Amino acid sequence: GVSIAVFASGSGSNFQSLVEVARQEHWPEQISLLICDRPGAKVLKRAQALDVESYALAPKSFAAKAKYEQAVLEILKQFQIRWIVLAGYMRLIGPTLLTAYSNRIVNIHPSLLPAFPGKNAIEQAFSYPVKVSGVTIHFVDEGMDTGPIIAQTPIEIAPEDTIETFAKKVHQVEHKLYPRVVYDLITGKISCPSLD
Ligand code: GAR
């Protein structure tokens, strides 16, 4: 049946959390595929340990972004993927994937968007320094960390926090919040506003 693909570039702690919760809770659609744009990333080891099929593609080895995304799209078709869940995928989604999966791509970002988009959002918020940052989950459009917001959780940066303790709080929130949002998405409890 149809299922979910996670796209990731790095450690993959959110990927692991999504796979584990989906299995524990017997979701009607499971995480059946990992797409990774960084051969050698730790997330590939996690996929192997969790017995999730994975593909590592190096975008640089393709003539253009569209060619890379066409290759990804072929894999997604093979696996009958219905949803794309970005979990630390540090690359903009281009028109090829956006058109094929319009309103079916979500992203998690470690700040209260629209504050601190882009890379190193945890470090950006900590060193600004703001007193509250957090986690945002949103539908993906052509922009960088833009698109309709689905859920946000604020997290305090306490005086005694270090970058490490604050980052740990962010990740703990992410690992709880993302599975809840993806579950609501696949079960139709939420949908992209532009679909309505
Ligand atoms: C997460 O904190 C996620 O919010 C962030 O990358 C980390 C991936 O961690 N994403 C972005 O910064 C997107 N702009 P993980 O690989 O352990 O899941």
Side-chain angles (χ1 to χ4, degrees), residues 4-8 18 83-87 104-106 178 182 185:
I4 305 160
V6 170
F7 286 25
L18 285 158
W83 302 99
I84 297 175
V85 173
L86 308 183
R104 295 186 182 281
I105 310 176
V106 291
Y178 215 5
V182 174
L185 199 63

Side-chain angles (χ1 to χ4, degrees), residues 13 33 47 71 95 129 148 169 189-190:
S13 68
L33 178 65
K169 286 185 202 169
K189 269 196 210 144
I190 51 173

Side-chain angles (χ1 to χ4, degrees), residues 7-8 13 16 21 32 46 56-57 64 66 68-69 101 112 135 143 153 165 181 183 185:
F7 286 25
S13 68
Q16 178 164 347
V21 173
S32 64
R46 293 195 202 247
L57 293 89
Y68 161 70
E69 290 203 339
Y101 282 86
L112 293 178
V135 172
T153 300
T165 62
V181 168
Y183 180 79
L185 199 63

Side-chain angles (χ1 to χ4, degrees), residues 124-165:
Q124 287 184 60
F126 188 83
S127 59
Y128 188 81
V130 291
K131 297 205 181 279
V132 180
S133 189
V135 172
T136 301
I137 296 167
H138 62 94
F139 286 103
V140 171
D141 64 10
E142 61 286 342
M144 160 89 79
D145 299 316
T146 56
I149 290 173
I150 303 167
Q152 292 188 300
T153 300
I155 303 166
E156 189 191 352
I157 301 177
E160 65 272 20
D161 268 325
T162 62
I163 183 78
E164 288 80 17
T165 62

Side-chain angles (χ1 to χ4, degrees), residues 10-15 87-88 90 107-110 118 122 145 171 174:
S11 164
S13 68
N14 280 284
F15 162 75
M90 305 309 273
N107 181 45
I108 190 163
H109 184 77
I122 294 174
D145 299 316
H171 295 309
E174 289 189 322

Side-chain angles (χ1 to χ4, degrees), residues 22-183:
R23 286 176 179 171
Q24 261 159 32
E25 298 180 352
H26 304 283
W27 288 7
E29 296 178 34
Q30 293 286 317
I31 319 291
S32 64
L33 178 65
L34 170 75
I35 297 286
C36 179
D37 65 341
R38 259 191 45 217
K42 184 175 172 187
V43 67
L44 291 162
K45 292 225 166 65
R46 293 195 202 247
Q48 201 171 24
L50 289 160
D51 202 20
V52 174
E53 290 245 30
S54 66
Y55 284 79
L57 293 89
K60 274 191 207 153
S61 69
F62 292 83
K65 188 185 183 99
K67 299 276 183 210
Y68 161 70
E69 290 203 339
Q70 271 156 25
V72 171
L73 205 49
E74 286 307 310
I75 302 167
L76 300 180
K77 278 184 192 154
Q78 274 174 42
F79 281 79
Q80 293 185 274
I81 295 302
R82 196 149 81 109
W83 302 99
I84 297 175
V85 173
L86 308 183
Y89 182 70
M90 305 309 273
R91 185 171 298 278
L92 272 181
I93 299 292
T96 306
L97 283 169
L98 273 176
T99 305
Y101 282 86
S102 69
N103 306 320
R104 295 186 182 281
I105 310 176
V106 291
N107 181 45
I108 190 163
H109 184 77
S111 74
L112 293 178
L113 290 171
F116 309 119
K119 286 184 180 150
N120 306 318
I122 294 174
E123 291 78 0
Q124 287 184 60
F126 188 83
S127 59
Y128 188 81
V130 291
K131 297 205 181 279
V132 180
S133 189
V135 172
T136 301
I137 296 167
H138 62 94
F139 286 103
V140 171
D141 64 10
E142 61 286 342
M144 160 89 79
D145 299 316
T146 56
I149 290 173
I150 303 167
Q152 292 188 300
T153 300
I155 303 166
E156 189 191 352
I157 301 177
E160 65 272 20
D161 268 325
T162 62
I163 183 78
E164 288 80 17
T165 62
F166 173 59
K168 195 172 170 192
K169 286 185 202 169
V170 170
H171 295 309
Q172 281 170 349
V173 167
E174 289 189 322
H175 299 162
K176 291 253 179 295
L177 186 64
Y178 215 5
R180 295 280 50 90
V181 168
V182 174
Y183 180 79

